[in-house]
Amino acid sequence: MKVTLLRTDASTGKETISTCEAGAFMERIKTETKGQYVSGLRTMLSYTAGKEDRGSYEHIDRLPRVCPCTEWGRTAGGERKMKHYNGIVMLDVRQLAGRAEVELVKERAALLPQTYAALTGSSGRSVKIWVCFALPNGNLPQKEEEINLFHAHAYRMAVQCYQPILPFSIQLKTPSPSDSFRMTQDSQPYYNPDAVSFCLEQPLAMPGEQTF
């Protein structure tokens, strides 16, 4: 499975797209880059948390957005294009007190065999949980409309399955195959490339109830 990294240059506004294998990505985030941009962001957040003016991080454009759900590429005209849907739903547990709570959430998430990965977010106080889904035949939907329907139902199912085993609340959102998070650093991410997928029939419509 490939994850996509999207980076927008602050001075030019130009977006660059790169991809890497999930395993390579997990190895990459185990060590901080020379610029220590993630550490810098975490330091800034430790001083601004809880204040109305949270400030801005001058090197934020050095931290690309990571897209685990979908592999992206470019069309001949240069537009961003979905190349492959990975069948990954990302759950987000935020506002944790610190490393102890982060590690606890990762440990709990690892209890389910459908957990592909669980890693610390860029703030150092959140956990991103990647959950595997597939159709009954083991494949994944290919058409954009089918992908959107599948992903919406998969997200609801993931929340219902994971929330009971997690000690903190999942941050609910409107799910999208283009969901992403800021580049992070985690010396011990949980990673299971042999995760078992939840089985989900192809939905024909969006969930009737849009809120939980």
Side-chain angles (χ1 to χ4, degrees):
M1 185 187 90
K2 291 185 178 181
V3 298
T4 302
L5 307 180
L6 304 174
R7 180 172 177 265
T8 303
D9 187 279
S11 58
T12 65
K14 182 180 179 180
E15 181 187 70
T16 57
I17 298 178
S18 61
T19 60
C20 67
E21 294 292 339
F25 172 77
M26 294 300 165
E27 288 299 318
R28 178 175 175 178
I29 66 172
K30 287 182 180 179
T31 55
E32 178 71 286
T33 60
K34 183 177 180 180
Q36 297 188 324
Y37 300 121
V38 176
S39 296
L41 175 62
R42 291 175 179 175
T43 299
M44 188 207 76
L45 292 175
S46 69
Y47 285 106
T48 60
K51 297 181 180 180
E52 291 185 8
D53 181 11
R54 294 180 178 272
S56 59
Y57 183 49
E58 60 179 332
H59 301 300
I60 197 68
D61 66 317
R62 298 297 186 96
L63 298 174
R65 303 293 304 185
V66 181
C67 305
C69 312
T70 303
E71 179 186 347
W72 295 92
R74 295 281 189 199
T75 64
E79 297 295 323
R80 193 198 301 178
K81 177 183 179 181
M82 181 186 295
K83 292 181 63 177
H84 181 73
Y85 175 58
N86 292 329
I88 294 291
V89 164
M90 185 170 68
L91 302 179
D92 198 356
V93 181
R94 301 182 184 178
Q95 299 180 341
L96 302 174
R99 183 173 179 178
E101 292 188 355
V102 166
E103 293 303 319
L104 177 58
V105 171
K106 287 162 59 178
E107 290 174 8
R108 294 290 181 85
L111 294 175
L112 291 183
Q114 290 84 7
T115 303
Y116 189 84
L119 52 147
T120 310
S122 59
S123 68
R125 296 186 177 184
S126 67
V127 175
K128 314 300 179 183
I129 303 171
W130 301 4
V131 187
C132 291
F133 281 84
L135 295 166
N137 61 5
N139 295 327
L140 290 166
Q142 300 297 314
K143 297 179 180 179
E144 185 173 354
E145 182 180 358
E146 292 178 343
I147 290 172
N148 289 332
L149 295 176
F150 184 87
H151 196 80
H153 283 266
Y155 178 79
R156 292 177 65 86
M157 183 175 175
V159 170
Q160 292 166 353
C161 292
Y162 278 77
Q163 188 59 84
I165 68 170
L166 297 177
F168 306 100
S169 297
I170 294 170
Q171 180 75 35
L172 301 179
K173 62 184 178 183
T174 301
S176 169
S178 61
D179 283 342
S180 65
F181 62 96
R182 192 73 64 185
M183 186 63 175
T184 188
Q185 190 273 320
D186 186 340
S187 59
Q188 294 182 310
Y190 173 77
Y191 173 53
N192 177 20
D194 298 318
V196 180
S197 298
F198 279 114
C199 180
L200 180 65
E201 291 275 3
Q202 176 62 52
L204 300 178
M206 281 292 182
E209 185 181 347
Q210 296 300 319
T211 58
F212 285 85

